[in-house]
Amino acid sequence: MSMARLVERLLQLVPVLLGVSVIVFVMITLTPGDPVEIMIGDQVVTPEQEAQMRRDLGLDRPVHERFFVFIGNAVQGDFGESFYHRRPVIDVIAERLPATIELSLVALLIALATAIPLGVLAAIRRNSILDRLATVGSLLGVSLPGFWFGILLIMLFAVHLQILPVSGRIGYSSEIDPITHFLLIDTLLRGRPDAFLDALSHIIMPAITLGLPMTAILMRVTRTSMLEVMRQDYVTFAEAKGLPRRRVLFRHALKNALIPTVSVAAIETGSLLGGNMIVETVFGWPGLGRLVVESIFVRNYPLVQAAVLFYAVTYVMLNFLADILYTVLNPRVKL
Amino acid sequence: MTDTEAASGAGAAGDTIFRRNMRSFAENRLALGSAVVVVIFVFLAIFAPLVAPHDPAETDLFRRLQPPGWMPGGEWSYLLGCDALGRDILSRIIYGARISIFIGAAVVLVATTVGIVAGLAAGYLRGWVDTVISRIVDILLGFPYLIFAIGLMAMMGPGLFNIILALVYKEWVIPCRVVRGETLVTRELEYVEAARALGASGRHIMLREILPNILSPVIVVSTIRMAHVIILEASLSFLGLGVQPPTASWGAMVSDGRAFILQAWWVSTFPGVAILLLVLAINVASQGLRDAFDPRFHE
């Protein structure tokens, strides 16, 4: 792909991102309930103090002016103060982000590591028992409500068998000084294999729950595209040349069959973001998703606003990345 | 072939294709069985007051966390046990079906209608109409679904009408894209050209000529979306952003049971089974529908 096309695609993102910001701004502006009243709560304040607070928040200005202030500040990473934490929203979000990213990456890893082999096997042994089981499994995977599946896992592995912890990110005894804030990496950097295993035992259930729908989808995509590739002339030709089947399948077919899988994986990584809220709530995972849900109930709107915007921007960027990845991997496709 | 048939003979030929498709759907045992399951759920929802063994809101502290009928301490008249307020779980599941199915159907119905109108307009009229609609679609696609709905619910506050609204705001994009794509292809077909040559109005062409011929894929997509919407509604109500208590909704029931997973596994488990059963049945049935209606699956 040429540089010019890349820049053009990047420029196409601008109106989308602008539109997304408008919607987020409108959401917050149309909210019933006055943020100043929420901040005041039960405290007694004079009308002058109230007016001052309104001025500080810029609420005395007309709506269109407030929008430009919001965009201007957002671009600089300034989302105002979290009512609840009395700290800048951006700091609170940054603090919770590593936990969410770590969980999402492990979920992605689990999904890829199960979906690809299963999809390939199902395609190679088409209509076998394994293929049917995989089909049923993938249907179950997209039909299971994540919050319920998570609770079932907790009941089985934490309550009944007692081999995994119910919630949290790491046990008290294993807490370590953070370096990267990714606990699976930090525990190893600090030379604490025991703490690593502890962190691993905490992340395994939430990651499986989060990755389940993605596993189901990726498996189906891999199976379909593998079947398609196996019908192609070049694969038949390689087989006709007398190359061993294993080599044909894994060296020739799989490489091309994985193209759709990779780009769907990039798109689905975006939907992991939505699943985060549910999974983090179920497993008491101290990430951004749970923070947003909690913030809604304490009407901490600046934080909700910033987080929704953050999620949307990440989602748009991931979809963009999926497009680019697809073109790079598949030179026949022109953007 | 399908297109020309559908195009040439107005009503009669269309019916034959529809009937043939329905027959091929009925031959798919699994899909048919799933459709029956969906119908049973709808039936339970409609006739909930007649079917439910107890009043779903009736609390009985003597039956607090009572186990299911087959377990020691359980009663057969309270088949699936009771929740923390001593309410009959089976009755609450039956009433909960009303919420799930009503919201699922309402969201898909409204979203599909909006999507059809917007998609037809964008695909047939092209020009600035298409540009505006496609931009809005792009922007809405920029939000992860659940986060968009959560954000809206946080702003609008909980409630039945608000959930439907929050989900419709984003859901219409999906049928809209399908309709737009199909319209772009169909508007170039000869029979549409013929109608135009005969001086038919744009409205007539969109609603009478194009729409009937693109309805199958739209219906198929809508049924698949229904499963998604039901899970989304359950997720919102699990988070406490759905229909408010004491109205029974499956997601909230699962959430209520979380506090008692140590002593009473049934409180969370059974409502979740209901969600899974309904969503799975819709998914399998709609896949059967797709296979039957999409000519690409006919060989």
Side-chain angles (χ1 to χ4, degrees):
Chain A
M1 180 172 40
S2 70
M3 205 60 208
R5 292 295 291 169
L6 187 74
V7 172
E8 199 183 318
R9 285 285 289 122
L10 261 173
L11 285 177
Q12 282 168 8
L13 288 182
V14 175
V16 173
L17 289 175
L18 202 67
V20 163
S21 330
V22 172
I23 290 183
V24 173
F25 177 78
V26 169
M27 265 189 196
I28 216 82
T29 314
L30 292 184
T31 304
D34 181 356
V36 172
E37 266 170 40
I38 294 162
M39 280 175 83
I40 293 169
D42 300 333
Q43 303 164 54
V44 182
V45 291
T46 63
E48 290 78 44
Q49 279 172 311
E50 200 184 317
Q52 181 61 43
M53 282 170 84
R54 223 168 274 280
R55 254 196 308 283
D56 289 346
L57 288 171
L59 291 175
D60 54 338
R61 292 196 234 175
V63 175
H64 62 273
E65 238 174 78
R66 265 155 60 195
F67 176 70
F68 289 112
V69 172
F70 164 71
I71 293 292
N73 289 343
V75 171
Q76 298 166 41
D78 177 6
F79 293 97
E81 185 119 325
S82 161
F83 296 170
Y84 186 73
H85 304 83
R86 305 264 167 206
R87 283 198 292 146
V89 165
I90 192 83
D91 292 358
V92 181
I93 289 182
E95 208 173 86
R96 296 288 201 113
L97 208 49
T100 292
I101 295 176
E102 187 172 36
L103 179 59
S104 305
L105 285 180
V106 175
L108 176 67
L109 219 65
I110 291 177
L112 287 173
T114 25
I116 294 175
L118 272 178
V120 170
L121 269 179
I124 295 176
R125 308 224 175 107
R126 196 180 177 187
N127 293 328
S128 67
I129 293 181
L130 183 115
D131 184 22
R132 283 180 194 183
L133 277 180
T135 309
V136 174
S138 72
L139 257 172
L140 270 176
V142 292
S143 304
L144 270 172
F147 54 91
W148 181 68
F149 182 64
I151 292 173
L152 287 191
L153 287 182
I154 292 177
M155 286 202 271
L156 181 61
F157 292 103
V159 176
H160 194 67
L161 298 173
Q162 306 203 334
I163 48 175
L164 290 172
V166 175
S167 70
R169 207 177 162 200
I170 196 162
Y172 285 116
S173 56
S174 308
E175 282 200 12
I176 47 153
D177 279 338
I179 305 168
T180 60
H181 291 274
F182 294 107
L183 291 184
L184 288 177
I185 298 173
D186 286 359
T187 47
L188 290 179
L189 289 179
R190 295 267 181 224
R192 291 273 309 274
D194 58 310
F196 173 78
L197 288 178
D198 188 31
L200 195 65
S201 72
H202 278 86
I203 205 170
I204 193 89
M205 284 198 293
I208 288 176
T209 311
L210 185 60
L212 187 75
M214 187 179 188
T215 312
I217 292 165
L218 288 185
M219 203 211 72
R220 261 200 251 178
V221 172
T222 310
R223 178 182 177 273
T224 312
S225 79
M226 189 73 187
L227 281 176
E228 197 133 302
V229 169
M230 278 160 64
R231 273 199 295 263
Q232 300 283 314
D233 288 344
Y234 76 95
V235 173
T236 319
F237 177 69
E239 272 185 326
K241 272 199 308 192
L243 289 178
R245 186 167 160 82
R246 190 173 280 270
R247 195 184 146 112
V248 175
L249 287 177
F250 292 102
R251 289 286 293 276
H252 294 79
L254 185 61
K255 232 164 74 183
N256 283 315
L258 283 184
I259 295 172
T261 310
V262 169
S263 64
V264 173
I267 296 171
E268 286 297 315
T269 308
S271 35
L272 283 186
L273 298 175
N276 265 322
M277 304 203 169
I278 299 285
V279 172
E280 289 182 7
T281 305
V282 172
F283 290 95
W285 189 260
L288 185 56
R290 199 170 132 224
L291 178 71
V292 174
V293 174
E294 288 166 354
S295 299
I296 289 172
F297 290 104
V298 295
R299 295 169 154 243
N300 191 356
Y301 293 134
L303 200 144
V304 177
Q305 185 180 29
V308 171
L309 190 62
F310 171 81
Y311 275 125
V313 171
T314 314
Y315 192 62
V316 172
M317 296 317 272
L318 278 171
N319 282 336
F320 172 70
L321 199 74
D323 270 8
I324 301 291
L325 218 54
Y326 192 71
T327 338
V328 171
L329 290 175
N330 194 353
R332 278 170 304 181
V333 179
K334 292 274 176 295
L335 265 184
Chain B
M1 169 240 18
T2 336
D3 285 327
T4 41
E5 257 181 38
S8 56
D15 279 347
T16 338
I17 293 170
F18 183 78
R19 274 199 210 124
R20 193 193 66 201
N21 288 340
M22 283 318 279
R23 223 178 299 127
S24 119
F25 175 74
E27 277 161 18
N28 183 344
R29 291 271 173 80
L30 191 62
L32 192 66
S34 304
V36 171
V37 173
V38 177
V39 171
I40 291 174
F41 267 105
V42 173
F43 180 84
L44 287 177
I46 295 173
F47 297 105
L50 300 176
V51 189
H54 302 278
D55 179 348
E58 187 189 298
T59 59
D60 180 352
L61 290 181
F62 291 108
R63 292 205 164 82
R64 187 170 188 272
L65 300 179
Q66 178 174 299
W70 60 88
M71 283 174 61
E75 281 173 89
W76 286 108
S77 57
Y78 290 84
L79 189 64
L80 301 182
C82 297
D83 67 7
L85 296 173
R87 295 175 296 195
D88 179 40
I89 291 178
L90 177 60
S91 303
R92 290 182 69 71
I93 289 178
I94 293 173
Y95 272 87
R98 293 188 145 188
I99 298 294
S100 284
I101 292 173
F102 177 70
I103 292 180
V107 169
V108 168
L109 207 68
V110 178
T112 306
T113 311
V114 176
I116 285 176
V117 173
L120 275 175
Y124 185 74
L125 302 175
R126 311 289 325 258
W128 66 268
V129 181
D130 189 22
T131 311
V132 171
I133 292 175
S134 298
R135 276 298 151 269
I136 298 176
V137 167
D138 282 347
I139 290 166
L140 287 174
L141 285 174
F143 288 94
Y145 206 134
L146 189 62
I147 287 158
F148 187 73
I150 287 176
L152 279 174
M153 289 308 288
M155 305 313 151
M156 299 192 298
L160 189 67
F161 183 70
N162 286 355
I163 301 176
I164 296 174
L165 211 58
L167 294 174
V168 166
Y169 274 140
K170 178 137 168 139
E171 183 63 35
W172 69 272
V173 164
I174 290 149
C176 175
R177 286 216 300 178
V178 175
V179 172
R180 180 179 174 272
E182 297 281 337
T183 306
L184 283 177
V185 177
T186 313
R187 78 192 288 268
E188 306 300 334
L189 293 181
E190 280 158 14
Y191 82 95
V192 177
E193 200 122 329
R196 219 174 297 151
L198 286 172
S201 69
R203 206 180 75 175
H204 175 89
I205 292 174
M206 279 189 269
L207 297 180
R208 291 293 161 87
E209 307 289 344
I210 297 181
L211 182 60
N213 281 299
I214 62 169
L215 217 46
S216 304
V218 179
I219 291 172
V220 171
V221 168
S222 301
T223 53
I224 296 176
R225 292 306 304 172
M226 178 117 171
H228 285 256
V229 169
I230 287 175
I231 288 204
L232 280 165
E233 181 274 325
S235 304
L236 286 175
S237 77
F238 172 80
L239 291 174
L241 294 168
V243 183
Q244 292 303 288
T247 310
S249 86
W250 293 344
M253 289 173 74
V254 173
S255 171
D256 290 343
R258 279 176 69 208
F260 309 102
I261 50 172
L262 289 176
Q263 27 349 350
W265 55 269
W266 51 91
V267 184
S268 274
T269 306
F270 294 126
V273 172
I275 305 174
L276 175 62
L277 266 181
L278 178 59
V279 171
L280 193 62
I282 295 176
N283 272 332
V284 174
S286 57
Q287 224 169 55
L289 215 55
R290 186 196 63 194
D291 294 354
F293 274 76
D294 193 329
R296 274 166 294 185
F297 289 91
H298 272 170
E299 302 106 61

